[in-house]
Amino acid sequence: MNAARERFLAPSRYRLNALLIVGLAAGVLLVSEPVAHAGTTVLALAASVSDVLNNLRNWLMGLLAGLATVFLTIGGVRYVMGGGDPGEVEKAKTAFKSAGWGYGLATLAPLIVEILKGIVGA
């Protein structure tokens, strides 16, 4: 193996610290148990399957549009900061393509939910 590959594969202090933090966070989430009180009220109760699918559509559209906006921003920053470097320009184009796919899927989310409604019969 060449030296660069060995350095990349060798565990660094940064990677070990990141792994430790992620492990601790996962451990806390897995060990903690939900607390239920007698006076707990449910605030979001869907009246029908149609409501659930509409909520799913709204969340899906928001998530996809948000991620697409992040990719569009990353692509723009890479393109501007690349300084004409062909590698950075290519990475920026890839980010722009990913943003386009995200916006396209966000646009198609209502159609997907309508198909699900047809399958479920809602």
Side-chain angles (χ1 to χ4, degrees):
M1 271 197 261
N2 60 12
R5 183 172 170 88
E6 288 177 1
R7 255 182 302 167
F8 178 76
L9 294 177
S12 67
R13 179 179 249 174
Y14 174 75
R15 280 192 218 148
L16 291 176
N17 286 339
L19 184 62
L20 178 67
I21 290 170
V22 169
L24 286 174
V28 167
L29 290 174
L30 291 175
V31 170
S32 65
E33 58 186 62
V35 178
H37 297 287
T40 303
T41 58
V42 177
L43 297 177
L45 184 63
S48 66
V49 175
S50 181
D51 287 345
V52 171
L53 291 174
N54 285 334
N55 291 338
L56 176 70
R57 179 198 63 211
N58 293 339
W59 273 96
L60 187 64
M61 286 176 62
L63 182 67
L64 288 171
L67 283 173
T69 303
V70 168
F71 278 106
L72 186 67
T73 304
I74 290 171
V77 168
R78 279 196 145 155
Y79 190 77
V80 170
M81 299 297 283
D85 179 24
E88 284 297 315
V89 170
E90 197 59 40
K91 289 178 184 176
K93 287 180 182 179
T94 303
F96 288 143
K97 289 175 190 173
S98 298
W101 276 104
Y103 286 127
L105 289 174
T107 304
L108 290 175
L111 177 65
I112 295 169
V113 171
E114 287 299 320
I115 291 170
L116 283 175
K117 282 183 182 179
I119 292 171
V120 173

